[in-house]
Amino acid sequence: GLAQLGVTGILIPEAYGGSDLSLLDACLVSQALGHAVTPAPFLSSSILVPIALAGLEDQAVGGWLSGIATGQLVMGAAITEGFSIRENAGVRLENGRLYGKAMMALDAVQADFVLVLLDDEHLAVIHGDHEGLTTTRLLTTDATRSTAELLLEGVEPVAVFEGRGEAIARMFEAGRIALAADALGASESMIGQAVSYAMDRKQFDRVIGSFQAVKHMCAEMIAELEPTRSLIWYAAHSFDTLPEDSPLMACHALAHMSEIGREIASVSTQVHGGIGWTDEQNLHFWFKRLGVARHLLGGPEYLRAKAAELQGLAA
């Protein structure tokens, strides 16, 4: 359904069946997907992979992008080691084969292909079901987003791309901005649900939304979120039109949205305090999506440190 709407190929060139639109357009889609906590591989397949492979005149690349645009192909992204190495993870190329472990690989479970980050300059693409590859879905709080651990024992890559440093950096920028937009949409939904509940739930023969304390909670959530919308939209705009601003804005957008999203998730759940067990109301889907998004492409602490480094302020 998303492919029929043109969503999956939104950043893919028209030559490969995509729409070749801007990152701002893609972020509006990401915002809508976050609003509905959509369990789709949009971040990996439609944002990270097309940006990482942009400009490569390779027949295989064209086939992958065409497949993504039509919805016939899903590509996961094992890129976490580009900013956070856990459990001695990392993938290396030896004698034409890949060895190592990749953690928190996005949408790699049942993916047709997986984009693997080797280092700051090298990328590889592997078959999702290649012999020697063990894919284990990781259990996280967010059931709407798929992450996995990849163990590679002599996996022969379909392709290895060198000198992709700039594309890799751009991939992380685009991914962080799109993830912030997803969190923006999820936060909007949680506020909407809180307001709706406050206008329905009664206490002392009055809807709780008529009490000043609850009004303040809802108003403050909206007041905190609105400036974040402008920040994220500007970051997405800068990616295509002001590339010199994009690295810094990507850090600011996701770091700030992560902090605001956590607060909105907490307060909107407090507004629902009368329901007792939130799992019965489904609010927890948005709560958990925001919680995982906070760390998926770098937590606020890491992003603020990176922003300081970009401005020459790092110690």
Side-chain angles (χ1 to χ4, degrees):
L2 291 175
Q4 290 174 353
L5 290 171
V7 167
T8 55
I10 195 165
L11 294 182
I12 293 174
E14 292 183 13
Y16 301 123
S19 303
D20 199 15
L21 296 178
S22 69
L23 185 65
L24 179 55
D25 296 303
C27 283
L28 294 176
V29 170
S30 186
Q31 185 176 334
L33 296 178
H35 193 281
V37 287
T38 309
F42 180 74
L43 180 61
S44 59
S45 237
S46 299
I47 300 289
L48 297 171
V49 170
I51 296 296
L53 301 181
L56 286 172
E57 296 181 1
D58 185 287
Q59 186 174 358
V61 171
W64 297 329
L65 296 180
S66 296
I68 291 171
T70 59
Q72 297 176 335
L73 185 150
V74 170
M75 289 189 72
I79 61 171
T80 299
E81 285 67 42
F83 60 88
S84 176
I85 298 177
R86 311 176 190 182
E87 301 179 13
N88 297 317
V91 180
R92 63 190 184 280
L93 181 65
E94 293 182 3
N95 300 319
R97 293 185 178 272
L98 298 176
Y99 299 86
K101 175 170 66 174
M103 297 292 293
M104 298 297 290
L106 289 167
D107 303 307
V109 178
Q110 297 182 337
D112 299 284
F113 296 91
V114 181
L115 180 74
V116 181
L117 178 68
L118 303 183
D119 55 42
D120 292 342
E121 292 288 336
H122 295 79
L123 292 166
V125 174
I126 60 175
H127 280 289
D129 59 353
H130 195 285
E131 183 179 353
L133 173 65
T134 302
T135 303
T136 304
R137 179 160 187 166
L138 297 174
L139 180 63
T140 69
T141 57
D142 183 9
T144 69
R145 201 182 291 280
S146 173
T147 56
E149 175 190 270
L150 305 184
L151 291 177
L152 299 91
E153 300 177 355
V155 174
E156 184 178 0
V158 178
V160 175
F161 302 105
E162 301 178 354
R164 300 299 294 169
E166 183 177 350
I168 290 169
R170 294 276 286 171
M171 172 188 70
F172 280 117
E173 291 168 27
R176 285 167 179 149
I177 298 169
L179 184 58
D182 184 285
L184 170 63
S187 297
E188 287 178 321
S189 180
M190 292 199 82
I191 293 174
Q193 292 177 69
V195 171
S196 177
Y197 181 80
M199 298 304 294
D200 181 64
R201 168 75 175 178
K202 289 186 176 181
Q203 189 72 353
F204 308 114
D205 295 324
R206 293 172 56 184
V207 294
I208 63 172
S210 67
F211 296 120
Q212 190 174 45
V214 176
K215 289 180 182 179
H216 284 176
M217 293 169 76
C218 294
E220 286 168 4
M221 285 192 289
I222 294 171
E224 287 181 341
L225 188 63
E226 282 308 305
T228 307
R229 184 193 314 278
S230 300
L231 174 61
I232 293 170
W233 286 6
Y234 177 78
H237 167 74
S238 72
F239 183 82
D240 291 298
T241 59
L242 300 165
E244 66 277 7
D245 290 352
S246 180
L248 181 61
M249 295 310 303
C251 292
H252 282 322
L254 184 54
H256 187 64
M257 185 63 244
S258 295
E259 301 287 24
I260 297 301
R262 181 171 66 174
E263 183 66 17
I264 288 173
S266 175
V267 174
S268 61
T269 302
Q270 293 171 41
V271 173
H272 285 77
I275 64 176
W277 189 249
T278 54
D279 279 17
E280 295 178 357
Q281 198 271 340
N282 289 334
L283 192 72
H284 67 103
F285 285 115
W286 287 265
F287 190 106
K288 294 171 181 176
R289 183 140 172 151
L290 286 167
V292 170
R294 180 180 170 86
H295 301 286
L296 206 57
L297 290 177
E301 297 80 6
Y302 167 83
L303 294 172
R304 284 193 288 265
K306 186 171 180 62
E309 182 182 338
L310 289 169
Q311 297 174 91
L313 301 175

